[in-house]
Amino acid sequence: MQIFAIFYWFCLVISAKQYLFKSCEENGFCKRNIDYCRNKLQTKISNYFIEDAIEVGSEYAVISGLLTKKLPNSDVKLPFQLSFLENDNIRFTLDENRNVDLNINANRFKASEHVLPHELRLKDSTSITIHDGAEKILLLYKDFKIEVFVNETLQMTINEDKFLNLEHFRNESDNQQQLLPEESDFNMFRDNFKDSTSDKLPLGPESIGLDFNFVDFHNAYGIPEHSKGLKLEEEIYRLYNVDIFEYEVDSNLPMYGSIPFLLVSKPRLSMGLFWINSADTYINLSKPKSGAKTHWMSENGVLDFIIFFGESPAEVNKKYGEITGFPTLPQLFALGYHQCRWNYNDQKDLLEINSLFDEHQIPYDSIWLDIEYTDNKQYFTWNSNFPDPSGMLDELDLTGRNLIIIIDPHIKKGSKVSNHLQKNGLTLMNSENDTFYGHCWPGESLWVDSFNPGSQEYWDELHRLSPENKVFFDNTNIHLWNDMNEISVFDGPETSSPRDNLQYGGYEERSLHNLNGRKFHDMTYSSLSKRLESTQRQRPFVLTRSFFAGSQKSAAMWTGDNMSKWEYLKLSIPMLLNNGVAGMPFGGADVGGFFGNPSKDLLTRWYQTGIWYPFFRGHAHIDSRRREPWVPGEPYTSIIRDAINLRYTLLPEFYNAFRESSISGMPILKPLFYESQKFSKNYDIEDEFFLGNSGILVKPVTEETTKEVTIVFPDSEIYYDFTNGKISSRYHTQSVKVPVTLSDIPMVIKGGSIISRKMRYRRSSKLMNHDPYTLVVAPSSTNSASGSLYVDDYESFDYKNGSFLVANFELKNGKLTNKVTGTFNAPRRIEKILILNTHATKVEHDGASLRFKSIDGNLEIQNPGLHINEDWNIVIKKDLVHDEL
Ligand code: NOJ
């Protein structure tokens, strides 16, 4: 009965924007599935059976067969496959053979072909046991129910509630004979939602639905993007990429991106569910005492999912990343500060902003141009306000800075690019298979179809670097911003493409809708990565608004059009945390808020929070007043400068976190329950986070007039105040109250960490390349610490061939050592080593004494003559007296 209760409750909570977007009740396939599940809860009888012989292939790694769907007067046979993949992952697919003669592709769309590698490695056959004795046991019942046991305990059931539903192909004329008693025929062959009524629904009903129950799991996360908290609540969540204008906080409405990946976690076991489907999808989540129950419903496509298991959430992320790809390792500049607004008006304006940063001694790495730089919103052109774009790029390059320009997928009708796309059949088509036209920024526009391989070729040509290319010239410091790629169609249903539009391969847009944004930014990434000779290639930077599973491999995302209000500042943290949980950690929110004008306090607090976003960009709407860091004046500008400088001093740690994420899928902003799954409080905290594995724990101030914050510690290690090295938390302290003024950012360092910083002010990250390091050592309760520093050339792909180094620092038994792995030549000096809360009588390196000072109870070793690329050890003599705790 739980599902009913939630569903009706959901219908009562109608947000101001709800009327623009289909609720489940208004969306044919969702309503039918909910009706079906409601009836199923009463009948509890299965309509799906395994009647035919099952084939067991490659020594138990694959089980395949036919699932029978029993209709009142006939049966439908549906091919299924259950595979045991490497790393204990389990995959299930259910398809339908549709022999239908239509002028569109009638096969069910396989999103997996765009998300998974061609071949998934199956589990090593010798280590598989299906029925007993194994660590993980999976039982498949004849009436199609799957039970998953881990450590001899039931952890998950699939189709326990019998919500499995695959609406098989049928004609409208014989629909009544094809209906199950539990099925309703609501909007099976037409759509009666406001602006969707012209949808022809040529394949009729074709939805899929299935329930997954996670036994004793009370903490569920992921399935972004929603403007809600980190931990998922009882709610119907929708995944359908839309351009949501002025989105509200705490709403379950769909947003710009979708990742159908759910993580559940409890002490000693975490599980991930990846629903591989790119169509409109709803997930009904309820949380009865028995654990999280979910009902997944998609408008069409193959039913396809993978389940991942791990002891910790990070292990699940790793397994998910091994299949969908790990986040890209960006160039270092992409981790610096980005200055954007809609719009910098002309070349002079832009270059003035560039010099004002230097005048105010504030570092930044790239300046952005929004749509107004073009000639009449025709991408791949410059208007006359930018008479010498190449000269402008050269000027930025003098201080190692970059320009990022916007290019959207809508192309102005009648422009050179649109004519080419149209002539070569590279556009999104309408249901009659003619070029589709709709409205967006340029007025009447067509859309490039990024699924078409021909589009990639043309895109490559448009993005090529050469003096003859009057858009990109031969400047390498120009990168891309892809916006409106949900796709946004101002006069389209739910502000997007009509669902019966056609794309490459004859598939309807409805089948691949949520992949469209990703295909577009992938195409841009691919063009940018090819624009130089292979030996000189640099890592491209692409920002995307719309995303899907796999987007992490080629783009950063941001949370779209937020508002200059405190509640949006606060919301930005759980939204970005959830994106990280779902494998897409390179994200940010518009600093200052997109719509409106922030108060000076809000702007300052936003910078202090934004410095922690993996993607750190200030951006504002065209009607907002200017608000670059010097605009608010003192004391705000100095506080903002300090915050941005702090980000720059920590760039080595940000880069470490990105590197780690690029090989393990780890979030860059790490929720507390990733650090320790032991304490139940950690599962609920959404306003604190760690910066990767650095040991830096932050709780930004996100509420007006805050005088004090409470930092909750996830475990019983020592924590030090970041600013003075004083101990904030002794053993077993649960939390600490910290007084704050406007200039404070509450942050602590976990005992056991060694942090690498670069302390000198430079105008951009590139100019910091050869700067010396400061190491901050925070001894643990057992007087030990470790940390590593990853270094490469920060821009090329050479690291993929092993051209990098890792300095591994360790404090143990009174000795601080560095052991270097890797070959990259980075002879960078260490100018200071600061060991917190430590006294010494002598510090030696190679038998020679090193000069040191004791300042405020911390040990400071100045210019020790050491480098990060050499093995060394220093002995901290006599009493490495760790203050009594
Ligand atoms: C919508 C984007 O979300 C926003 O950031 C941008 O400024 C406008 N489009 C104009 O390009």
Side-chain angles (χ1 to χ4, degrees):
M1 282 296 120
Q2 190 76 21
I3 299 270
F4 290 171
I6 294 151
F7 182 66
Y8 287 121
W9 172 81
F10 160 74
C11 289
L12 294 175
V13 186
I14 301 233
S15 84
K17 295 281 160 200
Q18 178 75 66
Y19 72 96
L20 288 173
F21 301 102
K22 291 175 172 175
S23 68
C24 175
E25 282 277 293
E26 294 163 323
N27 208 344
F29 81 91
C30 189
K31 177 167 165 38
R32 295 197 300 274
N33 275 279
I34 290 286
D35 282 349
Y36 183 80
C37 92
R38 184 184 296 154
N39 294 334
K40 267 285 159 236
L41 283 173
Q42 276 156 15
T43 63
K44 293 194 176 355
I45 298 168
S46 183
N47 301 105
Y48 294 84
F49 296 94
I50 300 171
E51 290 184 336
D52 303 81
I54 290 181
E55 208 172 293
V56 180
S58 65
E59 303 191 33
Y60 298 121
V62 180
I63 300 172
S64 51
L66 291 172
L67 196 62
T68 306
K69 176 178 184 181
K70 287 220 162 295
L71 297 172
N73 304 314
S74 57
D75 288 350
V76 181
K77 300 279 182 192
L78 305 166
F80 78 87
Q81 186 160 319
L82 181 64
S83 353
F84 297 83
L85 309 178
E86 221 182 22
N87 286 333
D88 288 340
N89 306 329
I90 296 170
R91 180 178 184 195
F92 179 82
T93 57
L94 181 66
D95 203 348
E96 177 188 15
N97 295 324
R98 295 200 282 207
N99 286 326
V100 185
D101 194 15
L102 285 174
N103 57 352
I104 60 170
N105 192 332
N107 292 323
R108 284 181 174 266
F109 183 69
K110 292 190 170 103
S112 61
E113 289 181 355
H114 300 270
V115 185
L116 304 181
H118 285 312
E119 229 177 286
L120 285 175
R121 295 235 291 275
L122 294 175
K123 191 168 166 118
D124 175 1
S125 54
T126 53
S127 61
I128 286 181
T129 317
I130 299 175
H131 285 287
D132 89 328
E135 208 189 301
K136 292 186 183 56
I137 308 172
L138 183 127
L139 300 176
L140 178 64
Y141 290 89
K142 189 168 177 257
D143 61 348
F144 192 68
K145 173 177 158 192
I146 297 178
E147 292 177 343
V148 183
F149 289 76
V150 181
N151 304 332
E152 290 171 29
T153 311
L154 180 65
Q155 305 288 359
M156 182 188 199
T157 60
I158 301 169
N159 202 31
E160 158 121 39
D161 294 321
K162 311 268 179 283
F163 296 165
L164 173 64
N165 186 21
L166 184 144
E167 293 181 318
H168 63 281
F169 181 80
R170 75 239 17 212
N171 290 314
E172 191 167 6
S173 50
D174 62 5
N175 187 33
Q176 283 316 313
Q177 292 83 57
Q178 304 277 324
L179 276 181
L180 288 165
E182 292 89 348
E183 275 184 313
S184 90
D185 61 359
F186 177 76
N187 273 1
M188 276 183 149
F189 295 91
R190 60 198 47 82
D191 190 329
N192 66 7
F193 183 74
K194 300 175 187 104
D195 53 6
S196 307
T197 47
S198 55
D199 184 352
K200 295 197 179 67
L201 285 157
L203 290 160
E206 41 173 354
S207 78
I208 50 171
L210 185 57
D211 58 274
F212 299 83
N213 297 338
F214 301 93
V215 183
D216 262 335
F217 283 93
H218 301 282
N219 310 302
Y221 308 88
I223 52 170
E225 177 181 32
H226 298 99
S227 62
K228 290 189 76 71
L230 170 63
K231 188 162 152 178
L232 301 175
E233 296 163 1
E234 294 200 322
E235 184 87 81
I236 293 196
Y237 293 87
R238 183 176 177 200
L239 295 178
Y240 188 65
N241 295 349
V242 290
D243 179 359
I244 183 160
F245 179 69
E246 295 188 346
Y247 65 81
E248 293 163 5
V249 299
D250 200 25
S251 153
N252 64 348
L253 288 181
M255 293 186 71
Y256 313 98
S258 302
I259 304 181
F261 175 78
L262 180 92
L263 177 93
V264 293
S265 184
K266 61 185 177 186
R268 289 179 298 283
L269 185 64
S270 293
M271 285 169 66
L273 167 60
F274 180 30
W275 177 261
I276 313 171
N277 191 292
S278 50
D280 192 1
T281 296
Y282 289 80
I283 301 131
N284 192 357
L285 174 80
S286 60
K287 290 172 153 184
K289 283 209 178 78
S290 57
K293 278 172 158 279
T294 59
H295 179 195
W296 296 65
M297 302 157 262
S298 291
E299 186 177 11
N300 71 6
V302 170
L303 196 159
D304 190 353
F305 63 86
I306 299 183
I307 309 163
F308 308 91
F309 307 87
E311 233 176 275
S312 66
E315 245 180 81
V316 172
N317 280 128
K318 183 149 195 258
K319 291 180 178 180
Y320 171 78
E322 276 161 356
I323 281 184
T324 61
F326 290 125
T328 177
L329 178 64
Q331 289 198 38
L332 182 67
F333 90 79
L335 316 190
Y337 176 57
H338 298 263
Q339 182 62 49
C340 186
R341 75 167 275 114
W342 180 13
N343 222 99
Y344 290 116
N345 302 328
D346 50 44
Q347 187 158 333
K348 187 164 159 278
D349 186 15
L350 183 142
L351 291 175
E352 245 164 46
I353 298 286
N354 182 50
S355 346
L356 280 166
F357 270 97
D358 300 341
E359 212 167 282
H360 292 277
Q361 303 217 325
I362 299 172
Y364 93 101
D365 267 83
S366 48
I367 188 154
W368 293 50
L369 285 174
D370 208 320
I371 48 178
E372 312 297 331
Y373 78 91
T374 58
D375 176 15
N376 266 311
K377 319 282 186 309
Q378 301 176 74
Y379 307 111
F380 305 101
T381 64
W382 293 86
N383 71 32
S384 56
N385 289 340
F386 295 87
D388 179 19
S390 182
M392 184 171 77
L393 282 156
D394 289 344
E395 171 114 18
L396 292 174
D397 201 31
L398 291 178
T399 42
R401 290 174 180 151
N402 300 270
L403 178 71
I404 297 177
I405 59 170
I406 197 166
I407 288 185
D408 293 349
H410 51 254
I411 308 290
K412 189 178 172 72
K413 186 179 179 186
S415 64
K416 203 171 132 203
V417 175
S418 83
N419 290 343
H420 179 97
L421 292 169
Q422 207 248 347
K423 223 167 76 204
N424 292 281
L426 302 175
T427 68
L428 174 63
M429 300 296 197
N430 64 22
S431 57
E432 305 299 322
N433 217 4
D434 294 325
T435 293
F436 166 77
Y437 292 98
H439 276 261
C440 208
W441 298 127
E444 204 172 9
S445 309
L446 52 72
W447 275 259
V448 54
D449 181 3
S450 327
F451 280 82
N452 193 323
S455 303
Q456 180 72 64
E457 264 175 57
Y458 182 48
W459 218 241
D460 291 352
E461 199 178 300
L462 290 169
H463 288 78
R464 195 148 291 147
L465 286 186
S466 80
E468 291 73 47
N469 182 339
K470 296 286 178 245
V471 184
F472 294 95
F473 310 92
D474 57 356
N475 298 80
T476 54
N477 59 335
I478 184 165
H479 293 263
L480 260 293
W481 173 15
N482 287 161
D483 186 21
M484 315 295 277
N485 49 340
E486 295 75 24
I487 57 175
S488 171
V489 181
F490 293 161
D491 53 348
E494 300 189 272
T495 67
S496 195
S497 160
R499 295 175 191 224
D500 52 6
N501 272 354
L502 297 174
Q503 298 205 226
Y504 181 73
Y507 282 108
E508 285 192 283
E509 199 272 351
R510 89 181 74 244
S511 315
L512 44 84
H513 175 89
N514 286 340
L515 260 167
N516 252 324
R518 183 192 143 190
K519 291 303 270 190
F520 182 61
H521 73 70
D522 271 354
M523 186 165 81
T524 300
Y525 181 90
S526 173
S527 295
L528 294 190
S529 47
K530 284 179 256 172
R531 66 187 184 173
L532 282 172
E533 289 307 311
S534 58
T535 50
Q536 304 167 323
R537 280 186 187 159
Q538 294 185 346
R539 301 170 223 169
F541 173 78
V542 182
L543 178 73
T544 180
R545 190 169 72 175
S546 185
F547 54 89
F548 189 67
S551 281
Q552 68 272 14
K553 290 186 287 187
S554 61
M557 59 69 70
W558 92 108
T559 60
D561 299 347
N562 58 1
M563 294 194 191
S564 300
K565 294 184 179 170
W566 288 91
E567 57 268 34
Y568 286 83
L569 167 60
K570 189 170 184 175
L571 174 72
S572 66
I573 298 173
M575 281 185 76
L576 294 175
L577 289 177
N578 244 337
N579 255 65
V581 166
M584 176 83 199
F586 193 8
D590 285 349
V591 171
F594 180 68
F595 290 115
N597 296 298
S599 68
K600 294 179 181 190
D601 275 20
L602 174 58
L603 184 64
T604 307
R605 287 297 189 203
W606 215 314
Y607 271 100
Q608 291 173 331
T609 305
I611 60 166
W612 303 104
Y613 298 159
F615 169 64
F616 174 32
R617 182 185 73 155
H619 181 40
H621 185 264
I622 196 161
D623 295 332
S624 301
R625 290 194 289 274
R626 294 271 166 139
R627 56 162 94 132
E628 288 70 24
W630 48 87
V631 174
E634 291 306 332
Y636 306 97
T637 297
S638 291
I639 300 175
I640 293 172
R641 177 192 299 111
D642 287 350
I644 299 180
N645 275 329
L646 175 61
R647 165 80 172 214
Y648 275 79
T649 66
L650 287 171
L651 280 182
E653 286 301 335
F654 273 90
Y655 201 58
N656 278 344
F658 271 84
R659 162 66 177 176
E660 179 59 39
S661 189
S662 75
I663 53 175
S664 72
M666 253 258 310
I668 290 161
L669 292 192
K670 201 170 69 171
L672 263 60
F673 73 93
Y674 273 66
E675 190 71 7
S676 164
Q677 292 92 55
K678 209 160 127 198
F679 305 105
S680 57
K681 62 176 181 182
N682 292 348
Y683 289 101
D684 295 320
I685 292 174
E686 58 173 27
D687 54 0
E688 289 181 26
F689 48 81
F690 281 90
L691 167 58
N693 287 333
S694 67
I696 300 173
L697 171 63
V698 194
K699 170 153 184 164
V701 177
T702 57
E703 278 169 25
E704 205 170 358
T705 63
T706 304
K707 298 269 177 304
E708 184 182 81
V709 299
T710 302
I711 303 182
V712 176
F713 301 107
D715 49 33
S716 46
E717 190 43 90
I718 307 174
Y719 283 82
Y720 301 86
D721 185 316
F722 186 90
T723 45
N724 57 21
K726 294 268 176 291
I727 291 178
S728 289
S729 156
R730 294 164 187 274
Y731 305 107
H732 307 302
T733 313
Q734 304 266 321
S735 61
V736 68
K737 284 192 176 16
V738 195
V740 287
T741 64
L742 188 62
S743 50
D744 294 318
I745 308 173
M747 51 195 286
V748 291
I749 310 178
K750 181 171 175 168
S753 322
I754 300 184
I755 293 164
S756 305
R757 301 181 71 180
K758 284 191 173 182
M759 302 305 288
R760 294 170 189 207
Y761 158 71
R762 302 285 182 196
R763 284 168 290 178
S764 68
S765 66
K766 197 165 184 176
L767 302 181
M768 295 166 75
N769 259 1
H770 298 282
D771 279 355
Y773 287 90
T774 289
L775 302 184
V776 181
V777 183
S780 69
S781 43
T782 54
N783 258 331
S784 58
S786 61
S788 57
L789 169 67
Y790 171 84
V791 180
D792 61 23
D793 66 15
Y794 300 131
E795 54 187 31
S796 80
F797 288 103
D798 292 355
Y799 73 97
K800 291 202 168 178
N801 303 323
S803 183
F804 61 83
L805 78 76
V806 184
N808 299 289
F809 307 116
E810 190 175 28
L811 174 72
K812 207 171 161 189
N813 303 328
K815 230 190 220 180
L816 181 66
T817 54
N818 182 24
K819 282 206 172 60
V820 180
T821 53
T823 54
F824 183 68
N825 185 24
R828 312 270 189 277
R829 209 159 55 79
I830 295 170
E831 63 177 349
K832 193 201 268 184
I833 301 174
L834 183 68
I835 308 179
L836 302 182
N837 197 46
T838 297
H839 298 282
T841 47
K842 206 170 191 188
V843 179
E844 283 181 352
H845 170 236
D846 276 352
S849 292
L850 293 179
R851 283 193 308 151
F852 67 93
K853 283 193 273 187
S854 258
I855 299 180
D856 281 346
N858 303 322
L859 183 74
E860 203 178 290
I861 307 165
Q862 292 277 4
N863 292 318
L866 306 172
H867 291 82
I868 57 145
N869 61 325
E870 291 163 359
D871 287 359
W872 44 256
N873 68 65
I874 57 178
V875 182
I876 300 150
K877 274 239 165 129
K878 197 166 165 222
D879 35 15
L880 172 71
V881 185
H882 197 282
D883 270 0
E884 192 42 48
L885 302 168

